[in-house]
């Protein structure tokens, strides 16, 4: 089962920042936090990942709390094309292959 | 940007028939995966593959399923004796290393419809 808890849905106005929370209170020291999204029935799209430091790339920022029990994905200027299901996944640092997807957060960006 | 490509985008097959789903992973990637998503349900891991052998598989991946890397570019999923419940989106993914610090990159999937 997924080790994360996310709200089932969120709304965001176009042009505003979308802040998607994720709770992973049972995360262990060797586990990374990954974010993917799925637009309609397309394949999951990798967004960003981190271990304990905050991370930023061209798509988003990832803020991980100091105790690592929760994180927030930030889309700084949401567009209509960011409407998707966003998945927060914890993944072990050792040699394990699989990603375990939960039900994610359905983000609706409105004009 | 390099991407994972999957063919066909939609496959319709009669129950009991065999089907082969094809994937071309990102060219310098060495680790390959199949996932599936039944309509309205979660994305589920099926199998991972490295160095021409299965490295991990889920309970779903039983004797009905097999994977192969027949040449240097393709990665295939074969489903024998298809059943109605095999209808789903099948996603291929690849990564250049295994482990928590290496993202898997997904294709856009094959929609498999069993009639």
């Amino acid at each position: 089962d997924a080790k994360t808890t996310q709200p089932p849905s969120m709304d965001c106005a176009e042009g505003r920042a979308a802040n998607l929370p994720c709770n992973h209170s049972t995360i262990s020291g060797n586990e990374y936090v990954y974010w993917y999204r799925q637009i309609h029935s397309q394949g999951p799209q990798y967004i960003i990942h981190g271990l304990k430091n905050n991370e930023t790339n061209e798509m988003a920022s990832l803020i991980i709390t100091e105790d690592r029990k929760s994180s927030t994905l930030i889309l700084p200027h949401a567009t209509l094309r960011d409407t998707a299901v966003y998945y927060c996944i914890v993944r072990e640092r050792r040699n394990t292959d699989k990603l375990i997807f939960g039900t994610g957060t359905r983000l609706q960006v409105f004009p | 940007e390099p991407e994972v490509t999957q063919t066909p985008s939609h496959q319709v097959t009669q129950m009991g028939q065999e089907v082969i789903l094809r994937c071309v992973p990102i060219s310098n990637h060495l680790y390959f995966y199949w996932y599936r998503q039944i309509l309205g349900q979660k994305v589920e891991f099926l199998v991972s593959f490295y160095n021409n052998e299965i490295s991990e598989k889920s309970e779903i991946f039983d004797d009905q399923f097999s994977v192969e890397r027949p040449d240097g570019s393709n990665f295939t999923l074969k489903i024998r004796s298809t059943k109605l419940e095999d209808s789903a989106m099948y996603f291929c993914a690849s990564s250049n290393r295994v482990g928590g610090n290496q993202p898997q990159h997904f294709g856009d999937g094959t929609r498999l419809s069993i009639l």
Side-chain angles (χ1 to χ4, degrees):
Chain A
D1 289 338
K3 298 182 179 180
T4 62
T5 303
Q6 299 178 252
S9 63
M10 295 183 63
D11 291 338
C12 179
E14 189 177 20
R16 303 296 296 271
N19 297 280
L20 291 91
C22 180
N23 183 292
H24 31 80
S25 57
T26 60
I27 195 169
S28 61
N30 64 350
E31 290 182 321
Y32 283 80
V33 179
Y34 271 77
W35 284 84
Y36 281 80
R37 73 181 182 183
Q38 191 174 24
I39 299 172
H40 297 298
S41 293
Q42 295 178 19
Q45 179 187 21
Y46 166 73
I47 301 172
I48 198 167
H49 73 282
L51 184 61
K52 54 184 178 181
N53 297 321
N54 298 338
E55 301 288 344
T56 295
N57 63 20
E58 66 278 4
M59 290 183 68
S61 295
L62 174 60
I63 308 299
I64 303 175
T65 59
E66 192 170 343
D67 64 7
R68 305 208 322 121
K69 292 185 177 182
S70 65
S71 61
T72 301
L73 178 74
I74 301 172
L75 308 177
H77 305 286
T79 70
L80 298 178
R81 286 179 292 184
D82 292 322
T83 293
V85 178
Y86 287 76
Y87 300 99
C88 171
I89 300 170
V90 296
R91 190 172 177 212
E92 290 186 18
R93 192 175 186 179
R94 299 173 315 200
N95 290 345
T96 183
D97 288 347
K98 61 187 177 186
L99 295 171
I100 300 175
F101 288 81
T103 53
T105 295
R106 181 172 300 277
L107 175 69
Q108 179 70 52
V109 181
F110 58 91
Chain B
E1 185 173 326
E3 58 184 25
V4 176
T5 57
Q6 292 186 241
T7 55
S9 56
H10 191 188
Q11 174 76 45
V12 181
T13 301
Q14 290 291 327
M15 185 173 58
Q17 297 297 305
E18 175 181 288
V19 64
I20 296 176
L21 310 182
R22 304 181 189 279
C23 169
V24 178
I26 295 173
S27 62
N28 64 338
H29 285 187
L30 300 175
Y31 299 85
F32 315 113
Y33 313 85
W34 284 101
Y35 292 78
R36 79 173 185 187
Q37 186 175 32
I38 295 170
L39 185 63
Q41 298 187 22
K42 301 176 187 178
V43 177
E44 303 173 286
F45 169 78
L46 292 178
V47 66
S48 57
F49 189 87
Y50 168 69
N51 200 25
N52 281 321
E53 62 182 27
I54 291 173
S55 50
E56 187 174 1
K57 62 182 180 179
S58 71
E59 292 180 353
I60 302 168
F61 195 89
D62 59 20
D63 292 343
Q64 186 192 4
F65 296 87
S66 62
V67 289
E68 188 179 28
R69 188 157 163 80
D71 53 41
S73 59
N74 289 285
F75 179 52
T76 62
L77 174 68
K78 181 187 291 185
I79 309 174
R80 291 177 284 272
S81 303
T82 50
K83 300 173 284 191
L84 295 177
E85 53 265 39
D86 295 327
S87 295
M89 286 290 295
Y90 287 81
F91 297 110
C92 175
S94 70
S95 67
N96 60 1
R97 289 177 60 188
V98 73
N101 197 23
Q102 300 300 323
Q104 295 176 17
H105 296 274
F106 287 75
D108 275 340
T110 293
R111 179 176 300 281
L112 178 62
S113 299
I114 306 299
L115 304 179

